[in-house]
Amino acid sequence: MENGESRMCILNSKTFSSIMSAGLFLSSLAGFNNAFAAQATEKENGESNKTTVNMVDGRNLVEKMHQKTSNLKSYSFKYKMKVFDTKKPVLENGSFYYNQPNLIRLEEEGPYKKGAVAVLTREGHVKAHLGGGLKLFVVQLSPDSKLLKSANGHPMIESDFKSLTGYLKKYIKSNMSVNASAQPIKTADFKEKVFLLEIHKSKNEKRIWKKIAVDPRTYLPLKWWDYNDRGKLHSVASWHQVTSYRQLPDELFTIKQAKSVKNQIFNYADGKNADKISKLSTNGS
């Protein structure tokens, strides 16, 4: 075992699933029952689902987003998500850390999977544990494991900004309709003007499938709405306190994660080693 992990039990995924078969693990990490879908409020589903006026071809905006996010070598952010697939909306929030080429640390801090931590290591494996007393049980998972999903079903290993904007490029290649506001506009969700990007599954489809608010200075996504085929809001995600670093410490991308490493990050954020690159504030959600 690694230093600092002497009290942790490293398990393979098969053994781990057996231990948690009573539901302790699956109830937190597996998918949700879709039999009774919660409904988004009129504010959540109404304003965000209106087609924006003065739209233009969104390919140039998507390309700028992908270029900017591809150049980010080391960063962190806070995230929030609300999903409406269950009788009661599922709330997820936490912290995300990234180092190139593809090191990821995700910490769940809200009601969904609270206390869970997952780390994508240099070896390409993911080590993870739940919160509370279960944090002593560490499991090694394949990066594409179904257990490593966000509340809306998105994979952990594709939650970095480059991967998200890469999805937008895939939508374009799939001949989906991708449009953007011709210039930054005022919306109900932000105090400052933002670009709005809208995706329709086809050029003849009027219902919006995805909508993204984009920071006009950094070209980072600020908020992302997903809709189902009936045009109802499926989930909404937002990013806050986005901070770019020269280099986050390697120790952060291990499951042990000593408190001293977190202190280093806070010191970076207060000094010349960090730059808060997205400061637009939301009015809610």
Side-chain angles (χ1 to χ4, degrees):
M1 295 184 183
E2 299 179 33
N3 294 334
E5 290 187 354
S6 58
R7 295 180 60 194
M8 294 182 178
C9 179
I10 307 298
L11 310 173
N12 61 39
S13 57
K14 183 176 181 181
T15 305
F16 190 78
S17 296
S18 298
I19 291 176
M20 299 304 166
S21 60
L24 292 174
F25 186 68
L26 296 180
S27 63
S28 297
L29 287 185
F32 294 93
N33 181 1
N34 294 326
F36 300 97
Q39 297 297 315
T41 65
E42 183 177 351
K43 179 180 179 181
E44 289 167 326
N45 199 28
E47 177 67 25
S48 60
N49 200 22
K50 293 179 180 177
T51 299
T52 308
V53 297
N54 298 324
M55 302 295 280
V56 298
D57 190 320
R59 286 178 292 183
N60 287 338
L61 178 58
V62 169
E63 190 58 39
K64 287 181 180 179
M65 292 175 68
H66 192 63
Q67 288 177 358
K68 292 289 186 179
T69 56
S70 297
N71 290 332
L72 290 175
K73 298 186 181 341
S74 184
Y75 60 88
S76 66
F77 56 71
K78 297 283 188 179
Y79 62 89
K80 294 181 181 180
M81 182 181 291
K82 192 172 186 178
V83 181
F84 302 95
D85 268 2
T86 58
K87 190 173 182 179
K88 183 179 180 180
V90 178
L91 303 177
E92 179 180 6
N93 61 273
S95 297
F96 183 96
Y97 304 88
Y98 177 87
N99 261 358
Q100 280 191 355
N102 197 27
L103 298 179
I104 291 174
R105 182 184 185 88
L106 186 147
E107 300 178 355
E108 295 286 1
E109 299 165 355
Y112 179 76
K113 307 182 191 176
K114 186 173 184 179
V117 174
V119 177
L120 178 60
T121 67
R122 291 188 182 278
E123 292 73 30
H125 300 296
V126 175
K127 289 187 177 182
H129 68 69
L130 293 176
L134 296 176
K135 68 182 180 181
L136 298 178
F137 297 95
V138 177
V139 59
Q140 182 168 293
L141 299 169
S142 170
D144 60 355
S145 170
K146 293 182 179 179
L147 300 177
L148 298 170
K149 302 279 189 179
S150 64
N152 71 351
H154 191 79
M156 165 207 169
I157 61 170
E158 296 179 345
S159 297
D160 60 283
F161 286 137
K162 181 180 177 181
S163 294
L164 291 173
T165 57
Y167 269 97
L168 299 177
K169 289 175 68 70
K170 291 178 183 178
Y171 300 151
I172 293 173
K173 290 182 179 180
S174 299
N175 293 320
M176 294 186 182
S177 176
V178 179
N179 298 312
S181 57
Q183 57 190 9
I185 61 174
K186 187 72 176 176
T187 71
D189 296 281
F190 297 91
K191 294 179 180 179
E192 300 179 46
K193 292 181 178 180
V194 298
F195 282 114
L196 283 182
L197 189 67
E198 295 178 355
I199 294 102
H200 300 253
K201 284 191 172 182
S202 69
K203 299 187 184 302
N204 297 325
E205 176 60 65
K206 294 182 179 180
R207 285 173 297 194
I208 296 173
W209 184 48
K210 299 181 185 294
K211 177 179 277 192
I212 302 99
V214 182
D215 188 324
R217 294 170 299 160
T218 65
Y219 291 97
L220 295 180
L222 296 167
K223 198 166 186 176
W224 187 306
W225 296 264
D226 284 310
Y227 298 89
N228 60 30
D229 290 337
R230 294 177 287 114
K232 298 297 183 181
L233 186 62
H234 164 62
S235 65
V236 56
S238 59
W239 296 266
H240 311 268
Q241 300 179 33
V242 184
T243 306
S244 175
Y245 305 89
R246 292 180 181 175
Q247 185 75 18
L248 285 169
D250 288 341
E251 291 82 1
L252 184 63
F253 301 96
T254 60
I255 198 66
K256 60 182 181 180
Q257 196 273 297
K259 287 184 178 180
S260 60
V261 178
K262 279 289 185 68
N263 291 334
Q264 290 182 50
I265 295 174
F266 294 141
N267 291 335
Y268 283 174
D270 292 333
K272 297 181 179 180
N273 291 307
D275 176 29
K276 289 191 175 180
I277 55 178
S278 186
K279 299 181 180 179
L280 294 186
S281 58
T282 62
N283 295 334
S285 66

